[in-house]
Amino acid sequence: MLDLLRQPWPWYTSGIAIATIMVLLLFFGKSFGFSSNLRTMCTIAGAGKRVKFFDFDWKTQKWNLLFLLGSVLGGVIAATLLNSGESLRLSASTISDLKEIGVQFDGQLNPAQIFGPEAMSSPMGIFILFLGGILVGFGSRYAGGCTSGHAISGLSNLQLPSLIAVVGFFAGGLIMTHYLLPLIF
């Protein structure tokens, strides 16, 4: 059984899982999104006493906190217990594209050049993490949700603002990948 779990699964497996979860959420009248968990955690910590935005009944969002915990736990299990130890298989063209923007492929899911301890603890790495956190936080608040909320929940509910937000997310990702990332690294 463990061998079955460790091998690469077909790409459509995640689509089936996401679709199943969305059908269940729609059936129970819930809306999915990870950024709303930050609001819930701030409310639990007492931020509602000072800021009206955080003043709501957080207990109605317990299910979303459990979903977040399960996602983090699932990632940890996949990265540790279910890790086959094999290098990531990327196409030669992707490796070439990474090389063109100055990123060396090291066989890992997250290149050490960008996500390794040295990169994360350097002054530039800390600055990029800090600035990225501010931009993601501002962007998800300004857009009324995060990528998972808009791209999965919003689009499945046929919401036009979610479609606009997702187009913006993709445009921003393309600009970052093709123009800004080569300047940074």
Side-chain angles (χ1 to χ4, degrees), residues 89-174:
R89 289 181 242 154
L90 283 181
S91 70
S93 63
T94 302
I95 294 171
S96 173
D97 289 346
L98 286 170
K99 198 177 280 187
E100 280 183 32
I101 63 172
V103 177
Q104 297 299 319
F105 175 64
D106 58 5
Q108 300 301 311
L109 184 60
N110 298 313
Q113 180 182 354
I114 299 174
F115 299 102
E118 290 176 15
M120 297 293 209
S121 60
S122 70
M124 182 63 153
I126 292 170
F127 172 74
I128 289 171
L129 286 171
F130 182 73
L131 181 64
I134 288 173
L135 290 173
V136 167
F138 172 79
S140 65
R141 178 68 188 115
Y142 186 72
C146 60
T147 53
S148 60
H150 282 297
I152 299 171
S153 254
L155 289 180
S156 68
N157 286 322
L158 304 175
Q159 295 177 1
L160 180 61
S162 289
L163 178 62
I164 294 167
V166 170
V167 169
F169 296 149
F170 275 95
L174 290 170

Side-chain angles (χ1 to χ4, degrees), residues 50-89:
R50 294 185 177 205
V51 180
K52 186 173 173 62
F53 176 72
F54 298 111
D55 187 20
F56 73 99
D57 183 16
W58 66 268
K59 291 177 184 169
T60 62
Q61 292 297 311
K62 281 195 273 188
W63 70 272
N64 209 5
L65 286 172
L66 285 173
F67 193 88
L68 173 66
L69 179 65
S71 297
V72 171
L73 212 61
V76 169
I77 291 169
T80 55
L81 300 175
L82 301 178
N83 187 350
S84 67
E86 293 180 29
S87 292
L88 184 66
R89 289 181 242 154

Side-chain angles (χ1 to χ4, degrees), residues 11-20:
W11 60 269
Y12 53 81
T13 307
S14 59
I16 293 169
I18 291 170
T20 303

Side-chain angles (χ1 to χ4, degrees), residues 18-37:
I18 291 170
T20 303
I21 290 169
M22 282 312 306
V23 167
L24 288 171
L25 288 173
L26 288 170
F27 179 76
F28 289 107
K30 303 288 185 189
S31 178
F32 172 78
F34 276 103
S35 63
S36 59
N37 283 309

